[in-house]
């Protein structure tokens, strides 16, 4: 390795703003790199707003920015070809990207081109006393933590979004900027996107759902459980349930949350007639906002809830459906 230089590949949204998940990663790298002497380098595929990008990244402690100019192409594969080309010249210690769809694909190609493994879905980064980079990631549904040490070869890793806080450096830096011009011809695409199809909440994997409406034994009957589907449809959400709901045949195993089901991380979860047994709640720890409806004010699910509603779940869901429908109708009329 030439020096201890750690790279982070920036990802941008459609308005060319740096993604939150990238800034989380940059913040964490800057924080852990305080322990190890080294250079934090950003690779930017966006080069129309260099001044703005440099200023933002300086605030997050980036030492150097390498801008990939237009000839580098735009797809994950083409960008990966360029990054691996630069890496072969400059020998970074590690290359990081956020674990988004694009970041994952790009990092996988970088790893292929450099002949090293990709360590995806990491949740922790550190440096040991000798300055080696360490990454950690959960395996086997969180039962085992894997620790990976960068030694000898470049470490290519992606980190899960929402694991680290976005935090500016105490003293901003003025990053050194470089440009990379591709000398070889642009690589032929390996993958061609024919068209993009929006995921259907009805069939999406519940682990990927942003909104979940969850029914438990307290829904009482298959007919009442249909209200869970109606609310999910109205909110653009997906249906899930407890083991009792599965045992009763209201959901399949693929929609069960918990120890023997799936772990979910929605932005909103509406839990209806669910007791809150530990074997169930273990699967919803990463929920951002939890609304719980239960007839029993002492139900354990309320300990986790951001909003606790004590009452009969089918009645409350019927009310909710008519209120949301009324709002939607008045919005259409405007
Ligand atoms: C090894 C093992 C693994 C397990 N794995 C899982 C798992 O992966 N996922 C899982 O979910 N469970 C799992 N379980 C089962 C778990 O222990 C609970 O039995 C289960 O989660 C309870 O489901 P429930 O809350 O829907 O039903 P119940 O325990 O029947 O609770 C129903 C709740 O609804 C409320 N209620 C009743 N009527 C109404 C009403 N009209 N309106 C509103 N609320 C009402 C009640 O007050 C109660 O709190 C596992 C158990 C074991 C032993």
């Amino acid at each position: 390795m030439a020096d201890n230089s750690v790279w982070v590949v920036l990802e941008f949204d459609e308005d060319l703003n740096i993604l939150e998940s990238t800034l989380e990663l940059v913040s964490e790298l800057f924080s852990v790199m305080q322990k190890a002497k080294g250079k934090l380098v950003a690779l930017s595929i966006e080069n129309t707003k260099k001044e703005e990008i440099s200023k933002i990244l300086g605030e997050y402690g980036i030492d150097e920015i390498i801008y990939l100019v237009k000839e580098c192409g735009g797809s994950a594969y083409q960008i990966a070809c360029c990054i691996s080309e630069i890496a072969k010249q400059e020998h970074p210690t590690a290359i990081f990207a956020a674990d988004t769809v694009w970041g994952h694909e790009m990092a996988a190609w970088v790893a292929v081109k450099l002949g090293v493994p990709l360590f995806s879905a990491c949740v922790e980064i550190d440096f040991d006393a000798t300055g080696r980079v360490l990454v950690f990631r959960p395996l086997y549904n969180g039962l085992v933590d894997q620790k990976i040490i960068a030694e000898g070869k470049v470490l290519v890793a992606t980190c899960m979004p929402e694991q680290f806080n976005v935090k500016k450096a105490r003293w901003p830096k003025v990053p050194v900027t470089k440009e990379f011009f591709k000398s070889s011809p642009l690589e032929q695409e390996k993958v061609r996107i024919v068209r993009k199809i929006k995921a259907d909440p009805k069939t999406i994997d519940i682990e990927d759902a942003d909104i979940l409406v969850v029914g438990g034994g307290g829904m009482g009957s298959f007919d009442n459980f249909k209200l869970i589907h109606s609310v999910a449809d109205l909110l653009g959400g997906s249906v899930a349930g407890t083991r009792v709901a599965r045992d009763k045949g209201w959901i399949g195993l693929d929609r069960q949350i918990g120890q023997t089901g799936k772990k979910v991380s929605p932005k909103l979860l509406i839990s209806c007639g669910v007791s809150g047994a530990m074997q169930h709640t273990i699967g919803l720890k990463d929920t951002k906002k939890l609304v719980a409806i239960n007839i029993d004010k002492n139900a354990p699910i309320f300990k986790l809830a951001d909003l606790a509603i004590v009452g009969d779940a089918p009645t409350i869901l019927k009310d909710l459906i008519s209120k949301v429908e009324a709002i939607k109708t008045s919005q259409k009329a405007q």
Side-chain angles (χ1 to χ4, degrees):
M1 305 276 157
D3 58 6
N4 194 12
S5 102
V6 172
W7 291 7
V8 53
V9 184
L10 307 180
E11 189 173 345
F12 296 84
D13 66 15
E14 283 156 10
D15 300 321
L16 305 182
N17 298 310
I18 301 171
L19 284 194
E20 181 92 353
S21 48
T22 302
L23 288 178
E24 291 164 6
L25 180 55
V26 171
S27 306
E28 183 66 9
L29 282 170
F30 176 71
S31 159
V32 293
M33 278 193 74
Q34 305 301 308
K35 285 195 213 166
K37 286 207 174 13
K39 199 167 58 166
L40 187 54
V41 179
L43 288 100
S44 177
I45 54 171
E46 168 48 38
N47 50 64
T48 56
K49 302 201 292 186
K50 282 191 199 148
E51 230 171 89
E52 199 181 310
I53 294 171
S54 297
K55 185 172 176 294
I56 294 170
L57 292 180
E59 288 171 354
Y60 288 92
I62 290 281
D63 298 293
E64 184 177 310
I65 307 171
I66 304 176
Y67 289 100
L68 310 187
V69 296
K70 270 203 198 93
E71 291 77 357
C72 292
S75 71
Y77 176 66
Q78 289 166 332
I79 296 298
C81 290
C82 292
I83 292 172
S84 54
E85 206 175 308
I86 315 171
K88 281 176 190 163
Q89 292 161 19
E90 304 215 0
H91 308 289
T93 309
I95 304 174
F96 284 96
D99 201 301
T100 58
V101 174
W102 183 86
H104 196 106
E105 186 189 344
M106 183 277 308
W109 283 121
V110 170
V112 168
K113 292 274 162 191
L114 295 177
V116 294
L118 165 67
F119 297 103
S120 59
C122 296
V123 295
E124 204 182 323
I125 311 166
D126 206 352
F127 284 84
D128 69 8
T130 60
R132 295 180 305 178
V133 194
L134 315 176
V135 286
F136 300 81
R137 61 178 182 170
L139 295 181
Y140 309 116
N141 231 347
L143 292 176
V144 177
D145 280 332
Q146 186 185 28
K147 173 176 165 183
I148 300 140
I149 305 174
E151 207 165 34
K153 285 184 174 171
V154 57
L155 178 123
V156 182
T158 57
C159 291
M160 292 302 284
E162 297 177 19
Q163 290 296 319
F164 315 122
N165 293 325
V166 173
K167 194 167 169 235
K168 290 184 179 173
R170 192 184 282 191
W171 290 286
K173 295 184 176 177
V174 180
V176 172
T177 59
K178 289 184 181 171
E179 281 187 338
F180 172 75
F181 292 92
K182 195 163 169 27
S183 49
S184 53
L186 206 58
E187 284 76 9
Q188 278 295 307
E189 273 303 336
K190 300 274 185 218
V191 178
R192 195 165 58 90
I193 296 171
V194 181
R195 80 191 150 107
K196 291 186 179 174
I197 304 166
K198 207 168 180 293
D200 180 355
K202 284 200 175 84
T203 52
I204 196 175
D205 189 325
I206 58 169
E207 288 179 341
D208 297 326
D210 278 343
I211 300 176
L212 279 174
V213 188
V214 179
M219 288 306 293
S221 67
F222 180 65
D223 269 352
N224 280 345
F225 201 85
K226 287 180 188 159
L227 293 165
I228 300 285
H229 288 269
S230 304
V231 174
D233 282 350
L234 269 179
L235 302 180
S238 306
V239 170
T242 61
R243 184 155 127 187
V244 168
R246 196 219 346 147
D247 290 346
K248 288 183 183 292
W250 300 341
I251 53 156
L253 177 58
D254 60 328
R255 305 221 147 239
Q256 179 189 314
I257 298 173
Q259 186 181 325
T260 44
K262 292 191 171 173
K263 306 228 170 1
V264 297
S265 53
K267 291 185 180 137
L268 171 67
L269 189 150
I270 305 177
S271 176
C272 315
V274 171
S275 60
M278 182 267 285
Q279 293 89 352
H280 175 71
T281 56
I282 199 169
L284 46 85
K285 278 190 300 193
D286 292 330
T287 297
K288 306 291 168 312
K289 282 271 177 270
L290 174 66
V291 176
I293 307 169
N294 197 299
I295 206 151
D296 173 9
K297 69 176 171 38
N298 296 316
I301 192 76
F302 286 147
K303 292 205 178 95
L304 302 175
D306 296 286
L307 177 64
I309 303 171
V310 180
D312 177 57
T315 310
I316 291 163
L317 292 181
K318 280 179 200 155
D319 275 0
L320 179 67
I321 291 166
S322 55
K323 293 219 163 69
V324 175
E325 278 172 345
I327 294 169
K328 289 199 167 185
T329 317
S330 80
Q331 279 174 344
K332 266 189 203 152
Q334 279 168 13

